[in-house]
Amino acid sequence: SSLSAIEQALAVKADNDDVRDVRARLERLEVLVAHTDARQTDALETLREEVESKRRELAEQHSAMISRNAADIAKLKGEHSTFLQRLTKAESELQATGKALEQVRDGMLS
């Protein structure tokens, strides 16, 4: 009977040792998961800040390019208008020259 009690006590002690080992492992695992989660959260926040900074930088660059393009378009419109005026004037002068030439020919033939 005392041998069976000793065996039973040793079995209970072994079970208790196993439970303590499992608890210790579980606690270490919980600490590891918490540290990993904190590192991932920090890394994600850093990445978010980098992406947001780059997005802002690109938005500013694009805005500046759009402004320059708008100014260039306005300049081109002005130049186009000037060229149209000059072309219209040249066409009028060419017509007037043609008429004058016709009159000179008519005068020479008469």
PDB file of all heavy atoms in Angstrom, residues 57-96:
ATOM      1  N   GLU A  57       4.664  64.115 -50.902  1.00  0.00           N
ATOM      2  CA  GLU A  57       5.730  64.632 -51.770  1.00  0.00           C
ATOM      3  C   GLU A  57       5.320  64.533 -53.238  1.00  0.00           C
ATOM      4  O   GLU A  57       5.474  65.498 -54.000  1.00  0.00           O
ATOM      5  CB  GLU A  57       7.009  63.826 -51.526  1.00  0.00           C
ATOM      6  CG  GLU A  57       8.192  64.249 -52.349  1.00  0.00           C
ATOM      7  CD  GLU A  57       9.399  63.346 -52.105  1.00  0.00           C
ATOM      8  OE1 GLU A  57       9.649  62.990 -50.933  1.00  0.00           O
ATOM      9  OE2 GLU A  57      10.072  63.002 -53.087  1.00  0.00           O
ATOM     10  N   LEU A  58       4.769  63.395 -53.625  1.00  0.00           N
ATOM     11  CA  LEU A  58       4.336  63.222 -55.014  1.00  0.00           C
ATOM     12  C   LEU A  58       3.168  64.150 -55.345  1.00  0.00           C
ATOM     13  O   LEU A  58       3.097  64.703 -56.448  1.00  0.00           O
ATOM     14  CB  LEU A  58       3.941  61.764 -55.274  1.00  0.00           C
ATOM     15  CG  LEU A  58       5.103  60.776 -55.350  1.00  0.00           C
ATOM     16  CD1 LEU A  58       4.588  59.339 -55.435  1.00  0.00           C
ATOM     17  CD2 LEU A  58       6.011  61.087 -56.522  1.00  0.00           C
ATOM     18  N   ALA A  59       2.252  64.330 -54.397  1.00  0.00           N
ATOM     19  CA  ALA A  59       1.120  65.227 -54.629  1.00  0.00           C
ATOM     20  C   ALA A  59       1.614  66.658 -54.861  1.00  0.00           C
ATOM     21  O   ALA A  59       1.115  67.364 -55.743  1.00  0.00           O
ATOM     22  CB  ALA A  59       0.151  65.178 -53.447  1.00  0.00           C
ATOM     23  N   GLU A  60       2.605  67.078 -54.079  1.00  0.00           N
ATOM     24  CA  GLU A  60       3.174  68.422 -54.260  1.00  0.00           C
ATOM     25  C   GLU A  60       3.861  68.544 -55.621  1.00  0.00           C
ATOM     26  O   GLU A  60       3.712  69.553 -56.308  1.00  0.00           O
ATOM     27  CB  GLU A  60       4.155  68.736 -53.133  1.00  0.00           C
ATOM     28  CG  GLU A  60       3.489  68.969 -51.789  1.00  0.00           C
ATOM     29  CD  GLU A  60       4.488  69.085 -50.642  1.00  0.00           C
ATOM     30  OE1 GLU A  60       5.714  69.085 -50.891  1.00  0.00           O
ATOM     31  OE2 GLU A  60       4.025  69.166 -49.483  1.00  0.00           O
ATOM     32  N   GLN A  61       4.604  67.497 -55.998  1.00  0.00           N
ATOM     33  CA  GLN A  61       5.271  67.519 -57.305  1.00  0.00           C
ATOM     34  C   GLN A  61       4.246  67.587 -58.430  1.00  0.00           C
ATOM     35  O   GLN A  61       4.407  68.360 -59.380  1.00  0.00           O
ATOM     36  CB  GLN A  61       6.149  66.273 -57.480  1.00  0.00           C
ATOM     37  CG  GLN A  61       7.389  66.265 -56.637  1.00  0.00           C
ATOM     38  CD  GLN A  61       8.150  64.949 -56.759  1.00  0.00           C
ATOM     39  OE1 GLN A  61       7.737  64.036 -57.458  1.00  0.00           O
ATOM     40  NE2 GLN A  61       9.271  64.845 -56.055  1.00  0.00           N
ATOM     41  N   HIS A  62       3.204  66.783 -58.321  1.00  0.00           N
ATOM     42  CA  HIS A  62       2.173  66.776 -59.370  1.00  0.00           C
ATOM     43  C   HIS A  62       1.445  68.113 -59.430  1.00  0.00           C
ATOM     44  O   HIS A  62       1.145  68.610 -60.517  1.00  0.00           O
ATOM     45  CB  HIS A  62       1.184  65.636 -59.132  1.00  0.00           C
ATOM     46  CG  HIS A  62       1.772  64.288 -59.373  1.00  0.00           C
ATOM     47  ND1 HIS A  62       1.265  63.143 -58.839  1.00  0.00           N
ATOM     48  CD2 HIS A  62       2.870  63.890 -60.075  1.00  0.00           C
ATOM     49  CE1 HIS A  62       1.988  62.114 -59.211  1.00  0.00           C
ATOM     50  NE2 HIS A  62       2.984  62.542 -59.964  1.00  0.00           N
ATOM     51  N   SER A  63       1.173  68.689 -58.275  1.00  0.00           N
ATOM     52  CA  SER A  63       0.510  69.991 -58.244  1.00  0.00           C
ATOM     53  C   SER A  63       1.375  71.049 -58.917  1.00  0.00           C
ATOM     54  O   SER A  63       0.880  71.876 -59.692  1.00  0.00           O
ATOM     55  CB  SER A  63       0.220  70.381 -56.792  1.00  0.00           C
ATOM     56  OG  SER A  63      -0.433  71.617 -56.744  1.00  0.00           O
ATOM     57  N   ALA A  64       2.679  71.009 -58.645  1.00  0.00           N
ATOM     58  CA  ALA A  64       3.600  71.971 -59.271  1.00  0.00           C
ATOM     59  C   ALA A  64       3.642  71.755 -60.783  1.00  0.00           C
ATOM     60  O   ALA A  64       3.621  72.728 -61.553  1.00  0.00           O
ATOM     61  CB  ALA A  64       4.998  71.826 -58.674  1.00  0.00           C
ATOM     62  N   MET A  65       3.672  70.505 -61.213  1.00  0.00           N
ATOM     63  CA  MET A  65       3.694  70.216 -62.655  1.00  0.00           C
ATOM     64  C   MET A  65       2.389  70.681 -63.313  1.00  0.00           C
ATOM     65  O   MET A  65       2.413  71.233 -64.420  1.00  0.00           O
ATOM     66  CB  MET A  65       3.904  68.715 -62.903  1.00  0.00           C
ATOM     67  CG  MET A  65       5.326  68.257 -62.652  1.00  0.00           C
ATOM     68  SD  MET A  65       5.682  66.565 -63.198  1.00  0.00           S
ATOM     69  CE  MET A  65       4.664  65.594 -62.123  1.00  0.00           C
ATOM     70  N   ILE A  66       1.277  70.471 -62.641  1.00  0.00           N
ATOM     71  CA  ILE A  66      -0.013  70.909 -63.189  1.00  0.00           C
ATOM     72  C   ILE A  66      -0.027  72.426 -63.329  1.00  0.00           C
ATOM     73  O   ILE A  66      -0.489  72.963 -64.344  1.00  0.00           O
ATOM     74  CB  ILE A  66      -1.172  70.404 -62.302  1.00  0.00           C
ATOM     75  CG1 ILE A  66      -1.323  68.891 -62.467  1.00  0.00           C
ATOM     76  CG2 ILE A  66      -2.481  71.121 -62.631  1.00  0.00           C
ATOM     77  CD1 ILE A  66      -2.247  68.234 -61.457  1.00  0.00           C
ATOM     78  N   SER A  67       0.492  73.130 -62.326  1.00  0.00           N
ATOM     79  CA  SER A  67       0.547  74.592 -62.393  1.00  0.00           C
ATOM     80  C   SER A  67       1.423  75.052 -63.559  1.00  0.00           C
ATOM     81  O   SER A  67       1.046  75.969 -64.302  1.00  0.00           O
ATOM     82  CB  SER A  67       1.086  75.166 -61.087  1.00  0.00           C
ATOM     83  OG  SER A  67       0.183  74.922 -60.040  1.00  0.00           O
ATOM     84  N   ARG A  68       2.591  74.403 -63.707  1.00  0.00           N
ATOM     85  CA  ARG A  68       3.471  74.767 -64.825  1.00  0.00           C
ATOM     86  C   ARG A  68       2.794  74.473 -66.162  1.00  0.00           C
ATOM     87  O   ARG A  68       2.874  75.278 -67.097  1.00  0.00           O
ATOM     88  CB  ARG A  68       4.801  74.006 -64.733  1.00  0.00           C
ATOM     89  CG  ARG A  68       5.754  74.562 -63.703  1.00  0.00           C
ATOM     90  CD  ARG A  68       7.151  73.977 -63.836  1.00  0.00           C
ATOM     91  NE  ARG A  68       7.187  72.524 -63.807  1.00  0.00           N
ATOM     92  CZ  ARG A  68       7.328  71.782 -62.702  1.00  0.00           C
ATOM     93  NH1 ARG A  68       7.430  72.382 -61.536  1.00  0.00           N
ATOM     94  NH2 ARG A  68       7.381  70.467 -62.778  1.00  0.00           N
ATOM     95  N   ASN A  69       2.128  73.344 -66.250  1.00  0.00           N
ATOM     96  CA  ASN A  69       1.440  73.000 -67.496  1.00  0.00           C
ATOM     97  C   ASN A  69       0.322  73.991 -67.808  1.00  0.00           C
ATOM     98  O   ASN A  69       0.136  74.376 -68.967  1.00  0.00           O
ATOM     99  CB  ASN A  69       0.879  71.572 -67.430  1.00  0.00           C
ATOM    100  CG  ASN A  69       1.965  70.525 -67.507  1.00  0.00           C
ATOM    101  OD1 ASN A  69       3.081  70.806 -67.918  1.00  0.00           O
ATOM    102  ND2 ASN A  69       1.644  69.313 -67.100  1.00  0.00           N
ATOM    103  N   ALA A  70      -0.420  74.406 -66.776  1.00  0.00           N
ATOM    104  CA  ALA A  70      -1.485  75.383 -66.985  1.00  0.00           C
ATOM    105  C   ALA A  70      -0.905  76.704 -67.492  1.00  0.00           C
ATOM    106  O   ALA A  70      -1.461  77.330 -68.404  1.00  0.00           O
ATOM    107  CB  ALA A  70      -2.268  75.598 -65.693  1.00  0.00           C
ATOM    108  N   ALA A  71       0.234  77.117 -66.908  1.00  0.00           N
ATOM    109  CA  ALA A  71       0.880  78.355 -67.362  1.00  0.00           C
ATOM    110  C   ALA A  71       1.374  78.204 -68.794  1.00  0.00           C
ATOM    111  O   ALA A  71       1.226  79.123 -69.616  1.00  0.00           O
ATOM    112  CB  ALA A  71       2.048  78.706 -66.431  1.00  0.00           C
ATOM    113  N   ASP A  72       1.953  77.048 -69.117  1.00  0.00           N
ATOM    114  CA  ASP A  72       2.422  76.808 -70.489  1.00  0.00           C
ATOM    115  C   ASP A  72       1.259  76.813 -71.480  1.00  0.00           C
ATOM    116  O   ASP A  72       1.377  77.353 -72.586  1.00  0.00           O
ATOM    117  CB  ASP A  72       3.172  75.469 -70.577  1.00  0.00           C
ATOM    118  CG  ASP A  72       4.534  75.517 -69.896  1.00  0.00           C
ATOM    119  OD1 ASP A  72       5.029  76.628 -69.604  1.00  0.00           O
ATOM    120  OD2 ASP A  72       5.102  74.425 -69.651  1.00  0.00           O
ATOM    121  N   ILE A  73       0.126  76.222 -71.075  1.00  0.00           N
ATOM    122  CA  ILE A  73      -1.047  76.199 -71.957  1.00  0.00           C
ATOM    123  C   ILE A  73      -1.552  77.624 -72.193  1.00  0.00           C
ATOM    124  O   ILE A  73      -1.880  77.997 -73.330  1.00  0.00           O
ATOM    125  CB  ILE A  73      -2.152  75.304 -71.363  1.00  0.00           C
ATOM    126  CG1 ILE A  73      -1.731  73.833 -71.477  1.00  0.00           C
ATOM    127  CG2 ILE A  73      -3.491  75.534 -72.056  1.00  0.00           C
ATOM    128  CD1 ILE A  73      -2.628  72.866 -70.707  1.00  0.00           C
ATOM    129  N   ALA A  74      -1.593  78.423 -71.136  1.00  0.00           N
ATOM    130  CA  ALA A  74      -2.035  79.818 -71.284  1.00  0.00           C
ATOM    131  C   ALA A  74      -1.094  80.572 -72.217  1.00  0.00           C
ATOM    132  O   ALA A  74      -1.535  81.347 -73.078  1.00  0.00           O
ATOM    133  CB  ALA A  74      -2.091  80.495 -69.914  1.00  0.00           C
ATOM    134  N   LYS A  75       0.211  80.334 -72.061  1.00  0.00           N
ATOM    135  CA  LYS A  75       1.194  80.992 -72.932  1.00  0.00           C
ATOM    136  C   LYS A  75       0.982  80.558 -74.382  1.00  0.00           C
ATOM    137  O   LYS A  75       1.011  81.390 -75.300  1.00  0.00           O
ATOM    138  CB  LYS A  75       2.609  80.631 -72.464  1.00  0.00           C
ATOM    139  CG  LYS A  75       3.712  81.254 -73.288  1.00  0.00           C
ATOM    140  CD  LYS A  75       5.074  80.821 -72.770  1.00  0.00           C
ATOM    141  CE  LYS A  75       6.167  81.305 -73.695  1.00  0.00           C
ATOM    142  NZ  LYS A  75       7.474  80.764 -73.322  1.00  0.00           N
ATOM    143  N   LEU A  76       0.783  79.256 -74.597  1.00  0.00           N
ATOM    144  CA  LEU A  76       0.560  78.753 -75.951  1.00  0.00           C
ATOM    145  C   LEU A  76      -0.714  79.330 -76.563  1.00  0.00           C
ATOM    146  O   LEU A  76      -0.750  79.643 -77.758  1.00  0.00           O
ATOM    147  CB  LEU A  76       0.496  77.217 -75.955  1.00  0.00           C
ATOM    148  CG  LEU A  76       1.827  76.506 -75.745  1.00  0.00           C
ATOM    149  CD1 LEU A  76       1.601  75.009 -75.574  1.00  0.00           C
ATOM    150  CD2 LEU A  76       2.779  76.772 -76.898  1.00  0.00           C
ATOM    151  N   LYS A  77      -1.748  79.475 -75.749  1.00  0.00           N
ATOM    152  CA  LYS A  77      -2.992  80.072 -76.257  1.00  0.00           C
ATOM    153  C   LYS A  77      -2.740  81.509 -76.709  1.00  0.00           C
ATOM    154  O   LYS A  77      -3.234  81.933 -77.750  1.00  0.00           O
ATOM    155  CB  LYS A  77      -4.086  80.044 -75.183  1.00  0.00           C
ATOM    156  CG  LYS A  77      -4.727  78.700 -75.007  1.00  0.00           C
ATOM    157  CD  LYS A  77      -5.835  78.765 -73.953  1.00  0.00           C
ATOM    158  CE  LYS A  77      -6.515  77.436 -73.785  1.00  0.00           C
ATOM    159  NZ  LYS A  77      -7.574  77.485 -72.759  1.00  0.00           N
ATOM    160  N   GLY A  78      -1.968  82.241 -75.907  1.00  0.00           N
ATOM    161  CA  GLY A  78      -1.641  83.623 -76.276  1.00  0.00           C
ATOM    162  C   GLY A  78      -0.830  83.673 -77.558  1.00  0.00           C
ATOM    163  O   GLY A  78      -1.105  84.490 -78.452  1.00  0.00           O
ATOM    164  N   GLU A  79       0.169  82.809 -77.663  1.00  0.00           N
ATOM    165  CA  GLU A  79       0.978  82.768 -78.882  1.00  0.00           C
ATOM    166  C   GLU A  79       0.134  82.361 -80.079  1.00  0.00           C
ATOM    167  O   GLU A  79       0.284  82.920 -81.177  1.00  0.00           O
ATOM    168  CB  GLU A  79       2.149  81.782 -78.702  1.00  0.00           C
ATOM    169  CG  GLU A  79       3.208  82.268 -77.741  1.00  0.00           C
ATOM    170  CD  GLU A  79       4.279  81.217 -77.466  1.00  0.00           C
ATOM    171  OE1 GLU A  79       4.157  80.078 -77.974  1.00  0.00           O
ATOM    172  OE2 GLU A  79       5.233  81.533 -76.728  1.00  0.00           O
ATOM    173  N   HIS A  80      -0.757  81.409 -79.879  1.00  0.00           N
ATOM    174  CA  HIS A  80      -1.633  80.962 -80.969  1.00  0.00           C
ATOM    175  C   HIS A  80      -2.516  82.115 -81.447  1.00  0.00           C
ATOM    176  O   HIS A  80      -2.673  82.328 -82.648  1.00  0.00           O
ATOM    177  CB  HIS A  80      -2.487  79.783 -80.496  1.00  0.00           C
ATOM    178  CG  HIS A  80      -3.430  79.257 -81.522  1.00  0.00           C
ATOM    179  ND1 HIS A  80      -3.008  78.587 -82.648  1.00  0.00           N
ATOM    180  CD2 HIS A  80      -4.782  79.322 -81.612  1.00  0.00           C
ATOM    181  CE1 HIS A  80      -4.051  78.252 -83.376  1.00  0.00           C
ATOM    182  NE2 HIS A  80      -5.143  78.683 -82.768  1.00  0.00           N
ATOM    183  N   SER A  81      -3.046  82.850 -80.489  1.00  0.00           N
ATOM    184  CA  SER A  81      -3.886  84.000 -80.841  1.00  0.00           C
ATOM    185  C   SER A  81      -3.081  85.032 -81.636  1.00  0.00           C
ATOM    186  O   SER A  81      -3.561  85.570 -82.648  1.00  0.00           O
ATOM    187  CB  SER A  81      -4.443  84.625 -79.565  1.00  0.00           C
ATOM    188  OG  SER A  81      -5.206  85.766 -79.871  1.00  0.00           O
ATOM    189  N   THR A  82      -1.842  85.294 -81.188  1.00  0.00           N
ATOM    190  CA  THR A  82      -0.975  86.237 -81.901  1.00  0.00           C
ATOM    191  C   THR A  82      -0.693  85.747 -83.312  1.00  0.00           C
ATOM    192  O   THR A  82      -0.762  86.518 -84.286  1.00  0.00           O
ATOM    193  CB  THR A  82       0.349  86.424 -81.133  1.00  0.00           C
ATOM    194  OG1 THR A  82       0.051  86.921 -79.826  1.00  0.00           O
ATOM    195  CG2 THR A  82       1.277  87.370 -81.844  1.00  0.00           C
ATOM    196  N   PHE A  83      -0.379  84.452 -83.456  1.00  0.00           N
ATOM    197  CA  PHE A  83      -0.110  83.900 -84.786  1.00  0.00           C
ATOM    198  C   PHE A  83      -1.340  83.984 -85.679  1.00  0.00           C
ATOM    199  O   PHE A  83      -1.226  84.279 -86.876  1.00  0.00           O
ATOM    200  CB  PHE A  83       0.383  82.456 -84.697  1.00  0.00           C
ATOM    201  CG  PHE A  83       1.773  82.332 -84.135  1.00  0.00           C
ATOM    202  CD1 PHE A  83       2.070  81.354 -83.199  1.00  0.00           C
ATOM    203  CD2 PHE A  83       2.796  83.181 -84.529  1.00  0.00           C
ATOM    204  CE1 PHE A  83       3.350  81.231 -82.679  1.00  0.00           C
ATOM    205  CE2 PHE A  83       4.078  83.062 -84.021  1.00  0.00           C
ATOM    206  CZ  PHE A  83       4.356  82.085 -83.081  1.00  0.00           C
ATOM    207  N   LEU A  84      -2.527  83.729 -85.110  1.00  0.00           N
ATOM    208  CA  LEU A  84      -3.755  83.840 -85.907  1.00  0.00           C
ATOM    209  C   LEU A  84      -3.967  85.278 -86.389  1.00  0.00           C
ATOM    210  O   LEU A  84      -4.347  85.504 -87.542  1.00  0.00           O
ATOM    211  CB  LEU A  84      -4.970  83.372 -85.098  1.00  0.00           C
ATOM    212  CG  LEU A  84      -5.151  81.869 -84.939  1.00  0.00           C
ATOM    213  CD1 LEU A  84      -6.368  81.568 -84.072  1.00  0.00           C
ATOM    214  CD2 LEU A  84      -5.290  81.188 -86.295  1.00  0.00           C
ATOM    215  N   GLN A  85      -3.715  86.240 -85.511  1.00  0.00           N
ATOM    216  CA  GLN A  85      -3.856  87.644 -85.901  1.00  0.00           C
ATOM    217  C   GLN A  85      -2.862  87.983 -87.009  1.00  0.00           C
ATOM    218  O   GLN A  85      -3.224  88.646 -88.000  1.00  0.00           O
ATOM    219  CB  GLN A  85      -3.626  88.562 -84.694  1.00  0.00           C
ATOM    220  CG  GLN A  85      -4.726  88.507 -83.655  1.00  0.00           C
ATOM    221  CD  GLN A  85      -4.359  89.257 -82.381  1.00  0.00           C
ATOM    222  OE1 GLN A  85      -3.252  89.779 -82.237  1.00  0.00           O
ATOM    223  NE2 GLN A  85      -5.291  89.289 -81.434  1.00  0.00           N
ATOM    224  N   ARG A  86      -1.620  87.539 -86.856  1.00  0.00           N
ATOM    225  CA  ARG A  86      -0.612  87.819 -87.880  1.00  0.00           C
ATOM    226  C   ARG A  86      -0.973  87.139 -89.199  1.00  0.00           C
ATOM    227  O   ARG A  86      -0.791  87.727 -90.279  1.00  0.00           O
ATOM    228  CB  ARG A  86       0.767  87.357 -87.401  1.00  0.00           C
ATOM    229  CG  ARG A  86       1.292  88.220 -86.246  1.00  0.00           C
ATOM    230  CD  ARG A  86       2.598  87.712 -85.714  1.00  0.00           C
ATOM    231  NE  ARG A  86       3.635  87.817 -86.729  1.00  0.00           N
ATOM    232  CZ  ARG A  86       4.818  87.242 -86.643  1.00  0.00           C
ATOM    233  NH1 ARG A  86       5.128  86.508 -85.607  1.00  0.00           N
ATOM    234  NH2 ARG A  86       5.713  87.384 -87.615  1.00  0.00           N
ATOM    235  N   LEU A  87      -1.479  85.924 -89.127  1.00  0.00           N
ATOM    236  CA  LEU A  87      -1.858  85.199 -90.335  1.00  0.00           C
ATOM    237  C   LEU A  87      -3.034  85.889 -91.023  1.00  0.00           C
ATOM    238  O   LEU A  87      -3.029  86.058 -92.256  1.00  0.00           O
ATOM    239  CB  LEU A  87      -2.219  83.742 -89.997  1.00  0.00           C
ATOM    240  CG  LEU A  87      -2.617  82.850 -91.161  1.00  0.00           C
ATOM    241  CD1 LEU A  87      -1.474  82.734 -92.160  1.00  0.00           C
ATOM    242  CD2 LEU A  87      -3.027  81.476 -90.656  1.00  0.00           C
ATOM    243  N   THR A  88      -4.006  86.312 -90.248  1.00  0.00           N
ATOM    244  CA  THR A  88      -5.152  87.027 -90.813  1.00  0.00           C
ATOM    245  C   THR A  88      -4.699  88.311 -91.487  1.00  0.00           C
ATOM    246  O   THR A  88      -5.126  88.639 -92.605  1.00  0.00           O
ATOM    247  CB  THR A  88      -6.191  87.333 -89.706  1.00  0.00           C
ATOM    248  OG1 THR A  88      -6.601  86.106 -89.104  1.00  0.00           O
ATOM    249  CG2 THR A  88      -7.399  88.060 -90.255  1.00  0.00           C
ATOM    250  N   LYS A  89      -3.791  89.044 -90.833  1.00  0.00           N
ATOM    251  CA  LYS A  89      -3.268  90.286 -91.403  1.00  0.00           C
ATOM    252  C   LYS A  89      -2.490  89.989 -92.685  1.00  0.00           C
ATOM    253  O   LYS A  89      -2.643  90.695 -93.701  1.00  0.00           O
ATOM    254  CB  LYS A  89      -2.373  90.988 -90.389  1.00  0.00           C
ATOM    255  CG  LYS A  89      -1.855  92.324 -90.869  1.00  0.00           C
ATOM    256  CD  LYS A  89      -1.003  92.988 -89.806  1.00  0.00           C
ATOM    257  CE  LYS A  89      -0.454  94.298 -90.355  1.00  0.00           C
ATOM    258  NZ  LYS A  89       0.471  94.926 -89.448  1.00  0.00           N
ATOM    259  N   ALA A  90      -1.666  88.937 -92.659  1.00  0.00           N
ATOM    260  CA  ALA A  90      -0.877  88.587 -93.844  1.00  0.00           C
ATOM    261  C   ALA A  90      -1.797  88.203 -95.004  1.00  0.00           C
ATOM    262  O   ALA A  90      -1.552  88.585 -96.158  1.00  0.00           O
ATOM    263  CB  ALA A  90       0.082  87.444 -93.522  1.00  0.00           C
ATOM    264  N   GLU A  91      -2.861  87.458 -94.694  1.00  0.00           N
ATOM    265  CA  GLU A  91      -3.807  87.079 -95.751  1.00  0.00           C
ATOM    266  C   GLU A  91      -4.484  88.321 -96.341  1.00  0.00           C
ATOM    267  O   GLU A  91      -4.658  88.432 -97.559  1.00  0.00           O
ATOM    268  CB  GLU A  91      -4.856  86.113 -95.201  1.00  0.00           C
ATOM    269  CG  GLU A  91      -4.336  84.710 -94.953  1.00  0.00           C
ATOM    270  CD  GLU A  91      -5.361  83.800 -94.291  1.00  0.00           C
ATOM    271  OE1 GLU A  91      -6.335  84.307 -93.685  1.00  0.00           O
ATOM    272  OE2 GLU A  91      -5.189  82.572 -94.364  1.00  0.00           O
ATOM    273  N   SER A  92      -4.862  89.257 -95.467  1.00  0.00           N
ATOM    274  CA  SER A  92      -5.498  90.499 -95.949  1.00  0.00           C
ATOM    275  C   SER A  92      -4.536  91.278 -96.829  1.00  0.00           C
ATOM    276  O   SER A  92      -4.914  91.792 -97.896  1.00  0.00           O
ATOM    277  CB  SER A  92      -5.927  91.377 -94.769  1.00  0.00           C
ATOM    278  OG  SER A  92      -6.929  90.742 -94.025  1.00  0.00           O
ATOM    279  N   GLU A  93      -3.274  91.392 -96.377  1.00  0.00           N
ATOM    280  CA  GLU A  93      -2.277  92.127 -97.163  1.00  0.00           C
ATOM    281  C   GLU A  93      -2.001  91.421 -98.480  1.00  0.00           C
ATOM    282  O   GLU A  93      -1.835  92.074 -99.522  1.00  0.00           O
ATOM    283  CB  GLU A  93      -0.986  92.277 -96.352  1.00  0.00           C
ATOM    284  CG  GLU A  93      -1.115  93.258 -95.192  1.00  0.00           C
ATOM    285  CD  GLU A  93       0.140  93.336 -94.342  1.00  0.00           C
ATOM    286  OE1 GLU A  93       1.124  92.615 -94.625  1.00  0.00           O
ATOM    287  OE2 GLU A  93       0.140  94.115 -93.369  1.00  0.00           O
ATOM    288  N   LEU A  94      -2.010  90.081 -98.447  1.00  0.00           N
ATOM    289  CA  LEU A  94      -1.797  89.322 -99.675  1.00  0.00           C
ATOM    290  C   LEU A  94      -2.954  89.542-100.649  1.00  0.00           C
ATOM    291  O   LEU A  94      -2.736  89.718-101.857  1.00  0.00           O
ATOM    292  CB  LEU A  94      -1.636  87.827 -99.354  1.00  0.00           C
ATOM    293  CG  LEU A  94      -1.221  86.932-100.503  1.00  0.00           C
ATOM    294  CD1 LEU A  94       0.120  87.376-101.080  1.00  0.00           C
ATOM    295  CD2 LEU A  94      -1.143  85.484-100.046  1.00  0.00           C
ATOM    296  N   GLN A  95      -4.164  89.579-100.135  1.00  0.00           N
ATOM    297  CA  GLN A  95      -5.329  89.860-100.999  1.00  0.00           C
ATOM    298  C   GLN A  95      -5.246  91.269-101.574  1.00  0.00           C
ATOM    299  O   GLN A  95      -5.506  91.492-102.759  1.00  0.00           O
ATOM    300  CB  GLN A  95      -6.637  89.692-100.201  1.00  0.00           C
ATOM    301  CG  GLN A  95      -7.037  88.256 -99.977  1.00  0.00           C
ATOM    302  CD  GLN A  95      -8.315  88.148 -99.147  1.00  0.00           C
ATOM    303  OE1 GLN A  95      -8.802  89.132 -98.606  1.00  0.00           O
ATOM    304  NE2 GLN A  95      -8.845  86.942 -99.063  1.00  0.00           N
ATOM    305  N   ALA A  96      -4.857  92.223-100.721  1.00  0.00           N
ATOM    306  CA  ALA A  96      -4.729  93.603-101.188  1.00  0.00           C
ATOM    307  C   ALA A  96      -3.638  93.699-102.248  1.00  0.00           C
ATOM    308  O   ALA A  96      -3.800  94.384-103.272  1.00  0.00           O
ATOM    309  CB  ALA A  96      -4.432  94.531-100.010  1.00  0.00           C
TER     310      ALA A  96
END
